[in-house]
Amino acid sequence: MTILQGQHTLSPELLHHVDAYWRAANYLSVGQIYLHDNPLLKRPLELSDIKTMLLGHWGTTPGQNFIYAHLNRAINQYDLDMIYVSGPGHGGPAVVANTYLEGTYSEIYPDISQDEEGLRKLFVQFSFPGGIPSHASPECPGSIHEGGELGYSLSHSFGAVFDNPDLIVACVVGDGEAETGPLATAWHSNKFLNPVSDGAVLPILHLNGYKIANPTVLARIEHEELDQLLRGYGWTPYFVEGSDPQLMHEAMAETLDAVIEQIHRIQSNARKNGDLTRPRWPMIVLKSPKGWTGPKVVDGVPVEGTFHSHQVPLSDPAIHPEHLQLIEDWLRSYRPEELFDESGRLKPELAALAPKGERRMGANPHANGGELLRDLKMPDFRDYAVHVPEPGVKGIGDTHELGRFIRDVIQLNEAERNFRVFGPDETISNGLEAVFNVTDRQWDARTVENDESLAPSGRVMEMLSEHQCEGWLEGYLLTGRHGLFNCYEAFIHIVDSMFNQHAKWLKVTNELPWRRKIASLNYLLASHVWRQDHNGFTHQDPGFIDHVVNKKASVVRVYLPPDANCLLSVMDHCLRSRHYVNVVIAGKHPAPQWLPMAAAEKHCAEGIGVWDWASNDDGGDPDVVMACCGDVPTLETLAAVTIMREHLPELKIRVVNVVDLMKLQPQSEHPHGLSDDDFDALFTKEKPVIFAFHAYPWLIHRLTYRRTNHPNLHVRGYKEEGTITTPFDMTVLNDLDRFHLVMDAIDRLPQIGGKGITLKQQLADKLIEHREYICTHGQDMPEIRDWVWDKPV
């Protein structure tokens, strides 16, 4: 619906003050982009007052300043608990300006004081060496969403309001951002919002017409089509359209009153009357000129209302001297003498428009979620131990065992409502079916008789969009809660860039003492590369690990537990941790179990270690080190060891298992890294090391290239060979199987002579036999399927 303009929701005095506040924010925004000195224009602008490097994004900024000013009025009028998410986060001048005007910025950064000198520093620091970025970055109070990469604002906003019944997130969606796949899908998040126990998201689609250098799709379709599109997504759109500030202020105020009251009616109807019919939540479409109130024409080229206003509308006056006066005219058009007193402080009648205390959007604790974070109530993971009387007992599948533990984490924290499991329709497939004994999938769309585990409220969030699951979880974590994302290993790549942005956020906030640490982003990657034999090549990719380890060592952790007890120990640690990205890779298929719980706990605490029970070097120098990392590589390594021990009993073999991948790096590179002495003690300085690895082999070489014995390190892992085949054949295709591992060892042990040559030929024959068998029978040979660890004499 379109709100009619001119119905006088605002008194003349309040309208004047809101407009002045908006002008103040616009003035501060332009000052951040251009000014190095003379912040109040107390003298005519000179070339030396202008920054030598002009950076920033003006186009979205005045619209966001307009929105922020009106949200402040609504917060005061309705006593709202509200935070602001800037989808076009490159409009950093807006959020910095508004948090400065409301006082939050100076409270956090006292050096940026509310006076003339503080204004000068505010301007100088923006997009300046040693200063702050041009986006809604972690350095900015009130920000939980930088927007460096577009598309995730609405997902983050919904994640923030899950289990926050009193919170409203005002989410500004740029019309350029709206063209991204994640954002287009995120409109459907309203089907997962429970009006009883969750808060509300108020999307504000900022329809200013252009992205960097082109018109936007939503700005160029007909009004009716846009209205039908948004209604088709399940929203009730309210349109605020125009360019005359006086009329737009009145229209925006009336619209905000209408949508806030509608949100309150929806919530009251659900909470007091028990009406759980899915509501059509309100949203706003703000159609205003890009670069509103900025230069209209520059050098004969239209700017306001075009893509030319996207970044810096007026060029460097050192190159274009005529632009110096244009910059001054632009700044003076906001009449700064009416906005700031002689000392540079915002005039009291304007400062009074900002909410007070934690009602300020820059000071709201939900935007600094670590302030609200509470420890999870955790069951004792030891209570879920798999009984392992001896190595190699059969297990039902490691993640199935973990599922019982996650089930009870959910149950123990039900009252606090601060833990959720997220995943793209794969929670059961990934072996976590036990969670549905105590909770449902949250689902607010229509249900039919045969549906299972769907309810308006639930601790599991599933949507067949990895982007939404990731975005929801990030928003949930950033506002002070805990969660777990389970996903097929191959398809976690879909959120590579989202992981990038979150890891960068964690890295930066680590360096900001006022930002409190949040719960870690925990990934459980199951249905992994070695057991996607039934789905084939498209589902076989373990490369997410390579992507993760590119990030700062202070942020990332990667764990590959070899069995269920190790998985339980690792996951307990991850759920308790803070401010990391933890990647845990585990299998869901029946697999051997190696360590009793006490030994598993010790092994995981150390992260790497010799398995004495599988070795025969008796603490002396081995002839060869057989290393492994990952559940299938561990199985194949131990099977290889049994072959070697049987046929080459004179060999001294050491088995080393790696749980914490970052142990392989030097201490200088990662806090978990082993010292050179400790690494040499495990892997020796000169003996051959046959390393069976879960993922791409070159990652191990990259992590260990500085180590003394790196020239003797021979890694086998996934080498981009796969198809629909048997589980064992997947390892054969990639030379990771037991037979190839033994052959690799023989090639590097010339001292075994003829016995080694004979054994190598036997193993080559076995590989031929294997190929013939699976092509005939469609399954692995009985000696592979039925293999069990039997410690050689």
Side-chain angles (χ1 to χ4, degrees):
M1 64 183 66
T2 299
I3 293 293
L4 298 176
Q5 300 173 357
Q7 297 184 17
H8 306 299
T9 298
L10 301 177
S11 68
E13 181 183 24
L14 183 53
L15 187 152
H16 174 74
H17 287 163
V18 169
D19 182 70
Y21 197 97
W22 177 45
R23 285 188 282 120
N26 286 338
Y27 180 84
L28 295 186
S29 299
V30 179
Q32 289 176 76
I33 295 173
Y34 286 99
L35 293 186
H36 189 270
D37 202 357
N38 195 12
L40 291 173
L41 300 183
K42 289 184 175 180
R43 53 177 171 76
L45 207 57
E46 300 174 359
L47 186 60
S48 60
D49 296 328
I50 304 298
K51 293 179 180 180
T52 57
M53 184 167 60
L54 302 178
L55 297 170
H57 294 77
W58 167 247
T60 181
T61 294
Q64 292 201 59
N65 287 333
F66 180 83
I67 292 167
Y68 206 107
H70 280 272
L71 292 174
N72 280 343
R73 181 199 67 84
I75 290 169
N76 283 330
Q77 179 165 333
Y78 294 96
D79 189 27
L80 302 178
D81 186 7
M82 176 178 281
I83 63 174
Y84 180 91
V85 167
S86 172
H90 48 258
V95 290
V96 172
N98 279 283
T99 53
Y100 178 82
L101 289 175
E102 72 186 19
T104 309
Y105 207 94
S106 298
E107 291 171 12
I108 291 175
Y109 303 108
D111 192 46
I112 311 295
S113 50
Q114 291 188 305
D115 53 26
E116 184 174 4
E117 178 59 17
L119 275 178
R120 189 190 69 80
K121 292 178 178 178
L122 181 79
F123 293 169
V124 169
Q125 69 169 1
F126 180 80
S127 285
F128 200 81
I132 63 171
S134 64
H135 288 179
S137 64
E139 292 90 342
C140 183
S143 175
I144 66 165
H145 173 90
E146 180 161 6
E149 180 183 359
L150 301 179
Y152 313 133
S153 59
L154 206 50
S155 308
H156 284 160
S157 299
F158 273 91
V161 302
F162 291 144
D163 298 318
N164 266 331
D166 298 324
L167 182 66
I168 298 177
V169 177
C171 177
V172 180
V173 177
D175 53 353
E177 178 190 24
E179 295 179 9
T180 66
L183 196 287
T185 308
W187 294 112
H188 286 300
S189 295
N190 54 16
K191 285 83 173 175
F192 299 85
L193 194 71
N194 183 347
V196 175
S197 56
D198 299 328
V201 175
L202 174 58
I204 303 172
L205 175 60
H206 190 198
L207 205 68
N208 64 21
Y210 294 89
K211 38 190 184 280
I212 296 174
N214 277 289
T216 60
V217 172
L218 296 186
R220 293 297 177 90
I221 62 177
E222 299 303 317
H223 176 96
E224 180 184 16
E225 185 178 352
L226 177 60
D227 181 72
Q228 290 176 348
L229 174 68
L230 297 173
R231 291 182 184 276
Y233 276 127
W235 298 91
T236 300
Y238 290 72
F239 289 80
V240 178
E241 307 176 58
S243 60
D244 183 304
Q246 300 301 305
L247 296 177
M248 289 291 281
H249 282 308
E250 180 60 43
M252 188 65 172
E254 184 182 354
T255 300
L256 267 179
D257 285 355
V259 299
I260 295 300
E261 289 168 6
Q262 185 177 350
I263 287 170
H264 287 165
R265 283 195 301 273
I266 289 169
Q267 292 175 333
S268 177
N269 194 36
R271 296 170 187 181
K272 295 180 181 179
N273 302 330
D275 184 355
L276 298 182
T277 304
R278 178 167 65 90
R280 287 185 169 268
W281 295 91
M283 64 168 291
I284 296 173
V285 179
L286 174 64
K287 187 174 183 179
S288 63
K290 193 176 182 82
W292 196 10
T293 74
K296 289 183 167 40
V297 178
V298 177
D299 300 332
V301 177
V303 173
E304 184 187 66
T306 78
F307 68 82
H308 291 291
S309 67
H310 181 73
Q311 291 181 302
V312 180
L314 293 170
S315 303
D316 185 353
I319 300 173
H320 300 276
E322 68 277 12
H323 286 190
L324 181 64
Q325 187 60 50
L326 295 178
I327 294 171
E328 181 171 350
D329 293 345
W330 181 9
L331 284 162
R332 290 195 186 279
S333 73
Y334 298 118
R335 307 192 296 280
E337 67 281 359
E338 298 178 6
L339 310 175
F340 303 96
D341 63 22
E342 188 66 21
S343 71
R345 181 179 290 271
L346 186 68
K347 289 190 174 181
E349 64 271 23
L350 302 183
L353 293 177
K356 304 300 183 287
E358 292 185 349
R359 282 298 192 246
R360 295 172 296 176
M361 289 189 285
N364 192 305
H366 290 101
N368 189 6
E371 292 185 359
L372 303 175
L373 184 64
R374 299 294 180 267
D375 290 344
L376 285 174
K377 295 178 180 177
M378 295 287 286
D380 189 336
F381 68 93
R382 303 167 192 86
D383 294 342
Y384 305 84
V386 177
H387 181 54
V388 184
E390 56 186 19
V393 300
K394 292 184 177 180
I396 63 171
D398 298 349
T399 59
H400 295 278
E401 302 287 3
L402 177 68
R404 300 183 300 119
F405 174 71
I406 300 299
R407 172 200 66 198
D408 291 352
V409 173
I410 290 172
Q411 197 161 35
L412 283 173
N413 295 280
E414 180 62 36
E416 286 74 15
R417 300 185 65 81
N418 63 346
F419 177 78
R420 290 192 185 225
V421 174
F422 298 78
D425 194 27
E426 294 162 357
T427 305
I428 291 177
S429 179
N430 283 328
L432 303 181
E433 66 282 346
V435 301
F436 293 112
N437 294 332
V438 297
T439 191
D440 294 303
R441 301 173 182 89
Q442 184 155 311
W443 175 263
D444 201 36
R446 187 169 57 90
T447 59
V448 297
E449 183 178 354
N450 294 328
D451 287 336
E452 296 181 6
S453 300
L454 297 180
S457 180
R459 299 286 90 198
V460 176
M461 305 296 298
E462 287 191 338
M463 184 179 183
L464 195 50
S465 166
E466 286 82 357
H467 288 121
Q468 299 318 311
C469 296
E470 173 82 12
W472 289 345
L473 175 54
E474 288 177 2
Y476 201 64
L477 300 176
L478 288 162
T479 48
R481 281 75 63 76
H482 307 256
L484 173 67
F485 185 175
N486 75 100
C487 185
Y488 280 20
E489 181 184 41
F491 302 129
I492 197 65
H493 277 298
I494 292 169
V495 301
D496 275 1
S497 55
M498 297 186 75
F499 153 78
N500 276 348
Q501 299 300 318
H502 191 77
K504 289 175 184 293
W505 181 277
L506 294 178
K507 186 267 185 186
V508 173
T509 53
N510 259 336
E511 300 162 5
L512 299 172
W514 63 273
R515 284 278 186 185
R516 301 293 181 258
K517 292 188 182 301
I518 62 173
S520 296
L521 170 56
N522 298 307
Y523 293 101
L524 174 66
L525 306 185
S527 304
H528 62 56
V529 57
W530 301 109
R531 292 308 308 268
Q532 280 294 328
D533 39 271
H534 60 300
N535 279 323
F537 198 39
T538 58
H539 286 54
Q540 295 159 356
D541 189 323
F544 187 64
I545 303 176
D546 300 69
H547 183 60
V548 168
V549 300
N550 289 330
K551 298 307 166 192
K552 278 292 184 179
S554 60
V555 171
V556 295
R557 306 288 186 266
V558 179
Y559 301 98
L560 294 102
D563 66 4
N565 285 338
C566 289
L567 175 59
L568 287 162
S569 179
V570 162
M571 190 57 69
D572 177 81
H573 168 77
C574 291
L575 291 180
R576 295 177 187 273
S577 69
R578 297 286 184 271
H579 229 70
Y580 297 137
V581 176
N582 296 310
V583 180
V584 182
I585 301 173
K588 65 182 183 182
H589 293 280
Q593 303 298 300
W594 307 111
L595 301 180
M597 181 54 82
E601 185 177 0
K602 181 175 183 293
H603 183 48
C604 292
E606 294 174 349
I608 188 172
V610 176
W611 278 4
D612 291 322
W613 54 268
S615 308
N616 69 341
D617 60 333
D618 298 323
D621 288 335
D623 296 310
V624 62
V625 176
M626 302 295 289
C628 47
C629 182
D631 56 356
V632 169
T634 298
L635 166 61
E636 291 305 309
T637 294
L638 291 174
V641 167
T642 60
I643 295 172
M644 295 165 69
R645 294 274 296 275
E646 178 183 356
H647 293 275
L648 304 169
E650 69 278 10
L651 277 182
K652 297 299 183 183
I653 302 169
R654 176 181 297 169
V655 176
V656 175
N657 183 264
V658 180
V659 177
D660 181 350
L661 187 64
M662 313 322 288
K663 286 288 181 180
L664 298 178
Q665 285 193 288
Q667 282 180 322
S668 60
E669 299 296 318
H670 197 283
H672 287 196
L674 290 175
S675 68
D676 286 337
D677 287 343
D678 287 342
F679 189 92
D680 291 344
L682 284 173
F683 293 99
T684 78
K685 290 185 176 182
E686 73 287 332
K687 303 297 184 180
V689 178
I690 310 300
F691 198 124
F693 179 48
H694 173 85
Y696 292 103
W698 42 86
L699 179 56
I700 299 300
H701 288 293
R702 174 184 163 192
L703 297 176
T704 61
Y705 77 97
R706 294 183 179 179
R707 300 297 193 176
T708 303
N709 200 27
H710 181 253
N712 291 312
L713 183 63
H714 309 283
V715 187
R716 292 291 176 261
Y718 185 67
K719 60 179 189 179
E720 206 63 19
E721 292 291 342
T723 183
I724 293 176
T725 186
T726 69
F728 182 68
D729 193 52
M730 268 299 297
T731 65
V732 173
L733 291 173
N734 291 277
D735 298 341
L736 184 72
D737 63 282
R738 60 201 69 181
F739 302 141
H740 276 103
L741 295 177
V742 174
M743 293 162 71
D744 281 345
I746 291 171
D747 287 343
R748 291 161 181 87
L749 294 168
Q751 67 267 34
I752 59 179
K755 292 178 64 176
I757 295 173
T758 301
L759 177 57
K760 187 175 179 181
Q761 183 58 56
Q762 292 172 353
L763 298 177
D765 293 342
K766 274 289 180 188
L767 288 169
I768 295 172
E769 181 185 350
H770 152 75
R771 170 58 53 185
E772 292 175 346
Y773 189 92
I774 66 169
C775 289
T776 300
H777 300 282
Q779 61 179 340
D780 288 317
M781 297 186 295
E783 66 187 82
I784 301 296
R785 301 198 311 269
D786 301 333
W787 180 88
V788 294
W789 169 262
D790 185 12
K791 183 175 181 179
V793 178

